[in-house]
Amino acid sequence: MLTLQNRFPAGSGYLAACTQGLPTHETVAAGRADLERWAAGASTPADYDDAVRRARASFARLAGVSVEAVAIGSQVSVLAALVAASVPDGATVLCADGDFASMVAPFHAQAHRGVSVRSAPLEALADAVDERTWLVAFSLVQSATGEIADADALLAACARTGTRTFADLTQALGWLPVDASRFDATVTHAYKWLCAPRGSAFLTVGGRMLDALNPVQAGWFAGEDPWSSCYGPLAAPASSARRFDVSPAWPVWPGTAAALSLFDELDAADVHAHATGLAAAFADGLGVDAGGSAIVSWPDREGTALAALTAAGLRASGRAGRARVAFHLWNSPDDVRTALHALGRR
């Protein structure tokens, strides 16, 4: 079984990757070194440009797309708002019931243009696609439950109707092997399963979406040569997905580049087997179905299960009346046994 506990300062008993990932030793060192350079007056924009370049390249490899297809940003909601602002007037968007607000609210905010939003249960999302649906916006792995969308069925339905797809990979990429090129666009906040500092996010843009999206948030960093685009309108917007870049929040990118470099070293299939194997063992002991996910969630309306896990020194989370645990690179079978014991399952 994959074991990488020595790459993280902490990790034993931490079952909350679906809430916030943990930094590697390299990420902590990169962040500290950047603060020291800044404090000494020695940091330069070129340093951050290099960190963004390295992070973008690592993310492209992990997501299975070309580096030209990757834009950077700060939050899922910001990048989803860019997509939402590009939906044609009067068009229809389909979302999943109970999906994370950042993938739903930006589309509802376009109601003043006649954009309408429908929703359907995740398991019935493919059946809800019709010729009137311009875009399906959904999380590949649901935040509250860990449920994995049937991407094959959804993509097949969208192919029949010409509907575009926009997938949030935040709760997937890092443990679930994903080919982002299958979707017209994807968004990923890297602070969860990719173990980066909060504030670095990525947008992937497929061929037919490159011209369909309007770079409404374009600033100097969206230019073909950002350092020649600091004043006035962009004389030459980037020809690649960089035209959708949001100017980087500099301090988070050295740590993000260091975090993603770890995934350059790993086999995605090994990570998937490790995370889902632990989740399946925990779910089996609890008597629930993990559904092939690295996230296990079960009803806990009164919060008693979460309180028991917390009292045992474990870090878990609760969402939408459910307890939620997640297994990632730093976890081991000991975490499974400790969590089950805390819940009275031996």
Side-chain angles (χ1 to χ4, degrees):
M1 179 174 285
L2 182 73
T3 175
L4 290 168
Q5 289 174 303
N6 65 338
R7 299 294 294 269
F8 298 87
S12 179
Y14 190 84
L15 304 174
C18 53
T19 301
Q20 182 180 22
L22 291 176
T24 63
H25 290 288
E26 293 84 356
T27 293
V28 173
R32 286 176 175 163
D34 176 61
L35 285 174
E36 291 296 335
R37 284 194 302 272
W38 181 28
S43 62
T44 70
D47 296 332
Y48 298 112
D49 277 359
D50 180 65
V52 169
R53 178 191 59 77
R54 289 185 287 116
R56 195 193 308 263
S58 291
F59 183 85
R61 286 189 292 271
L62 183 62
V65 298
S66 70
V67 71
E68 290 78 19
V70 179
I72 66 159
S74 57
Q75 313 288 343
V76 166
S77 56
V78 173
L79 295 173
L82 183 152
V83 176
S86 301
V87 175
D89 292 356
T92 298
V93 176
L94 176 64
C95 296
D97 288 348
D99 209 339
F100 199 73
S102 295
M103 281 294 284
V104 177
F107 296 98
H108 282 276
Q110 302 299 318
H112 65 285
R113 300 192 293 109
V115 173
S116 62
V117 180
R118 297 189 295 120
S119 69
L122 188 69
E123 65 273 14
L125 205 57
D127 294 334
V129 176
D130 59 27
E131 287 75 10
R132 298 169 298 169
T133 312
W134 190 83
L135 179 76
V136 179
F138 69 105
S139 297
L140 184 60
V141 176
Q142 292 293 296
S143 172
T145 64
E147 185 180 1
I148 305 171
D150 187 344
D152 291 340
L154 187 57
L155 287 166
C158 290
R160 289 191 294 270
T161 59
T163 299
R164 292 165 170 80
T165 53
F166 176 42
D168 179 6
L169 308 182
T170 300
Q171 292 287 8
L173 207 56
W175 71 266
L176 181 66
V178 177
D179 179 0
S181 70
R182 301 179 71 199
F183 307 102
D184 290 296
T186 74
V187 64
T188 308
H189 202 151
Y191 79 104
K192 295 182 182 286
W193 298 89
L194 295 179
C195 307
R198 181 170 169 84
S200 53
F202 298 88
L203 178 75
T204 71
V205 184
R208 69 170 174 170
M209 286 294 271
L210 192 62
D211 292 326
L213 295 185
N214 181 18
V216 293
Q217 294 155 177
W220 66 277
F221 207 73
E224 190 67 66
D225 175 15
W227 294 104
S228 298
S229 304
C230 295
Y231 305 101
L234 297 183
S239 58
S240 67
R242 284 201 308 103
R243 73 178 73 169
F244 308 114
D245 276 4
V246 178
S247 177
W250 283 338
V252 306
W253 287 95
T256 296
L260 296 187
S261 70
L262 171 62
F263 291 90
D264 286 339
E265 304 173 22
L266 303 178
D267 184 296
D270 288 344
V271 177
H272 177 259
H274 171 76
T276 57
L278 294 175
F282 174 79
D284 184 62
L286 196 61
V288 300
D289 182 13
S293 180
I295 302 170
V296 182
S297 173
W298 66 99
D300 186 36
R301 185 65 60 183
E302 302 302 319
T304 54
L306 181 57
L309 292 167
T310 302
L314 302 171
R315 178 66 64 86
S317 57
R319 293 292 186 275
R322 303 176 68 86
R324 191 178 65 159
V325 298
F327 296 90
H328 203 18
L329 299 170
W330 50 79
N331 294 119
S332 72
D334 287 342
D335 292 318
V336 174
R337 288 189 286 268
T338 303
L340 289 174
H341 186 268
L343 296 170
R345 308 295 178 96
R346 294 172 173 80

